[in-house]
Amino acid sequence: RGARLAAGTLAAFGAGPALAAVAAAAVPAKLHIGQKLALKLTATGLPNEAVLVLISMLPVVELRGAVPVGAWLGVPPLRAFIVCVLGNSLAVFLLLAALRLPPVEALLRPVLERARAKMGGLGETKSLPLALAVFVGVPLPGTGGWTGAMIAHLLGMPFALAFGSIFAGVVMAGVIMSALTLAGWYGAAVAAGVLAVFCTGALMKRKD
């Protein structure tokens, strides 16, 4: 299954039969966790869009891992973007709600403490919603919707404000990852630059 998907993806981008055949033989040993989960889920008969929703909800994958899997599965870029944003945002919504329950908060206390260590000076910024959105939106190790939700909870942000900020960050990450998937690092750099200019402008307006 993984070999066929890899070969099909290369063929869709115009790769020759020989290259596709090499990929079909080589990919199974190089699958990352998002692809492995996608293979298991598609084997159950779930449509690709449902698979993307599920894996984008997982903290080990999230949107940043699900968007490239969407391209690997042959899902159109815009559809993959929308589906992954919805999946990741749904997970954030559920986590923010669950953390308001004392038993869940107590259960996740060790994870919350790790999130606290990643927070840095985020809680001291004058524009916390924007800072949280940028924290979530830049697809780097240790950031993302799950960590953002835990940080928002630790900082005592109101539910609606926290979810709105993280949702904006998820959309940012979706734009960057879609650009990276479609146009490589150059596309991701351009997308990140545009978003940086937008965020800087918004921050300057708030200061005024």
Side-chain angles (χ1 to χ4, degrees):
R1 170 71 171 174
R4 290 197 300 272
L5 284 171
T9 302
L10 282 172
F13 283 94
L19 181 57
V22 170
V27 164
K30 298 181 180 180
L31 296 180
H32 63 67
I33 188 168
Q35 292 170 314
K36 292 177 181 178
L37 291 171
L39 285 179
K40 291 182 180 297
L41 291 170
T42 54
T44 67
L46 285 174
N48 291 336
E49 290 79 6
V51 170
L52 290 180
V53 168
L54 291 174
I55 65 174
S56 63
M57 293 179 68
L58 299 175
V60 292
V61 182
E62 292 202 56
L63 173 141
R64 65 195 64 198
V67 167
V69 172
W72 185 67
L73 291 173
V75 179
L78 180 58
R79 188 186 305 171
F81 169 82
I82 294 173
V83 167
C84 292
V85 166
L86 291 176
N88 205 175
S89 299
L90 176 59
V92 167
F93 183 91
L94 295 175
L95 180 59
L96 285 172
L99 286 172
R100 292 173 172 264
L101 304 174
V104 176
E105 184 182 34
L107 180 65
L108 295 180
R109 179 58 55 188
V111 184
L112 287 169
E113 291 305 318
R114 288 199 293 271
R116 189 189 301 275
K118 298 175 183 178
M119 191 161 77
L122 195 62
E124 302 171 4
T125 180
K126 294 181 179 179
S127 183
L128 180 56
L130 180 59
L132 182 60
V134 173
F135 174 86
V136 174
V138 179
L140 295 174
T143 67
W146 278 74
T147 304
M150 293 181 192
I151 289 175
H153 175 75
L154 290 170
L155 294 175
M157 292 181 68
F159 185 94
L161 183 61
F163 180 73
S165 300
I166 297 170
F167 178 79
V170 169
V171 172
M172 289 184 200
V175 170
I176 293 173
M177 290 307 302
S178 295
L180 175 61
T181 301
L182 292 171
W185 286 107
Y186 176 78
V190 171
V194 172
L195 290 173
V197 170
F198 173 79
C199 292
T200 302
L203 184 59
M204 294 301 293
K205 287 182 180 179
R206 289 183 66 90
K207 288 183 176 180
D208 293 340

